C-alpha cells in the first residue's frame, strides 16, 4: 500500500486531503524558515514558496519514519504589491496588511515538493516500486478582496485566525467572507492543490486513486 506523509502541521492542509479522500499521515519538519531563506537569499515570493516546500519535504524524507513512503512538503506565500507576505503573527502586522489589501488583489503562491522514499531496488518479480523522484512545482491563484472597514478587520483579527495564515487571511474559514473572487485553483489558496499533487504523484508512477481511502 502506498503511504503519503504530509510534512506540514497545517490543519487546513490535512483537512483538505481528508475531504478529498486521500490517506495520509503527518510528520512535521523542524525547518527554520528564516534560516533557509537567508541561506539561499531568495526573495521572490514564487521561488520562496517552492524553496520552503522543498526544505520541509527533504527534512522529513531524511527521517527513519519516512522510509518506504512518499513525502509531500507545502508552503504558501502571499504576493501583494510585489512583496512577499508570510504569516503576520502579530495583530499590528495583520491589520496593516489587511487595510492595504481591502478592495485590492494579490497572488497566493503554494509550493509543493514530493520526495519518493520508497525502495528503488527490484523485488522478486524484477520490479522496483520507488522512483527516487524528488520534484516540485508552484500553484498560484489570484485573490481579489472586497472592501473591508476597520471594524470588520479588527473583529477578524480578534478571532486569531489570520495571525498564522500566509497573507493574513483564509478562504476556508472566517476570512472567506472578505474574498470577492479567486482566479485559479481555490485549493491553492487553502494551501495544497490536489490537482497539482496528482501531477506530482504521476511523475512518481503513482495514481492519486491509489491513495483514496477504501
Amino acid at each position: 500500500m502506498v503511504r503519503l506523509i504530509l510534512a506540514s502541521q497545517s490543519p487546513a492542509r490535512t483537512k483538505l486531503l481528508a475531504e478529498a479522500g486521500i490517506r495520509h499521515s503527518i510528520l512535521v519538519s523542524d525547518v527554520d524558515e528564516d534560516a533557509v531563506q537567508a541561506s539561499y537569499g531568495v526573495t521572490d515570493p514564487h521561488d520562496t514558496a517552492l524553496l520552503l516546500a522543498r526544505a520541509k519535504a527533504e527534512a522529513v524524507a531524511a527521517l527513519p519514519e519516512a522510509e518506504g513512503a512518499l513525502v509531500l512538503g507545502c508552503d504558501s506565500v502571499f504576493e501583494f504589491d510585489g512583496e512577499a507576505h508570510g504569516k503576520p503573527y502579530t495583530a499590528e502586522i495583520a491589520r496593516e496588511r489587511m487595510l492595504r489589501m481591502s478592495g485590492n488583489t494579490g497572488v497566493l503562491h503554494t509550493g509543493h515538493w514530493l520526495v519518493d522514499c520508497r525502495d528503488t531496488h527490484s523485488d522478486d518479480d524484477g520490479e522496483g516500486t520507488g522512483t527516487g523522484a524528488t520534484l516540485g512545482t508552484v500553484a498560484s491563484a489570484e485573490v481579489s478582496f472586497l472592501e473591508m472597514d476597520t471594524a470588520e478587520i479588527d473583529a477578524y483579527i480578534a478571532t486569531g485566525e489570520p495571525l498564522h495564515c500566509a497573507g493574513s487571511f483564509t478562504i476556508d474559514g472566517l476570512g472567506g467572507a472578505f474574498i470577492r473572487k479567486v482566479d485559479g485553483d481555490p485549493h491553492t489558496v487553502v494551501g495544497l492543490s490536489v490537482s497539482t499533487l496528482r501531477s506530482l504523484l504521476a511523475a512518481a508512477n503513482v495514481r492519486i486513486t491509489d491513495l483514496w481511502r477504501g
Side-chain angles (χ1 to χ4, degrees), residues 120-137:
T120 58
H121 297 297
S122 298
D123 56 23
D124 294 338
D125 297 324
E127 297 182 356
T129 54
T131 62
T134 174
L135 70 165
T137 189

Side-chain angles (χ1 to χ4, degrees), residues 2-149:
V2 179
R3 290 194 298 126
L4 176 68
I5 295 175
L6 176 63
S8 171
Q9 61 184 349
S10 165
R13 291 190 180 107
T14 192
K15 179 182 178 184
L16 192 156
L17 287 178
E19 291 179 344
I22 298 173
R23 295 188 322 273
H24 68 285
S25 58
I26 299 170
L27 193 56
V28 181
S29 73
D30 60 353
V31 169
D32 184 330
E33 297 185 15
D34 291 337
V36 170
Q37 292 182 72
S39 175
Y40 284 87
V42 175
T43 56
D44 178 79
H46 176 283
D47 294 345
T48 297
L50 187 62
L51 172 68
L52 294 177
R54 179 174 186 172
K56 293 175 181 179
E58 292 184 342
V60 169
L63 300 176
E65 299 92 326
E67 184 177 352
L70 294 162
V71 177
L72 175 67
C74 295
D75 193 84
S76 297
V77 177
F78 185 62
E79 181 178 0
F80 186 76
D81 281 348
E83 298 177 0
H85 288 182
K87 301 170 185 176
Y89 293 116
T90 69
E92 291 76 17
I93 293 176
R95 191 174 193 274
E96 184 273 332
R97 289 180 179 178
M98 294 185 71
L99 286 170
R100 292 172 57 205
M101 288 155 48
S102 176
N104 292 309
T105 298
V107 179
L108 196 291
H109 302 286
T110 293
H112 303 68
W113 198 275
L114 187 74
V115 180
D116 188 349
C117 300
R118 297 173 299 166
D119 192 351
T120 58
H121 297 297
S122 298
D123 56 23
D124 294 338
D125 297 324
E127 297 182 356
T129 54
T131 62
T134 174
L135 70 165
T137 189
V138 176
S140 302
E142 190 175 83
V143 184
S144 298
F145 297 91
L146 295 163
E147 295 281 350
M148 297 174 276
D149 62 42

Side-chain angles (χ1 to χ4, degrees), residues 160-174:
E161 182 182 272
L163 301 185
H164 301 282
C165 301
S168 312
F169 70 94
T170 66
I171 191 176
D172 55 333
L174 301 173

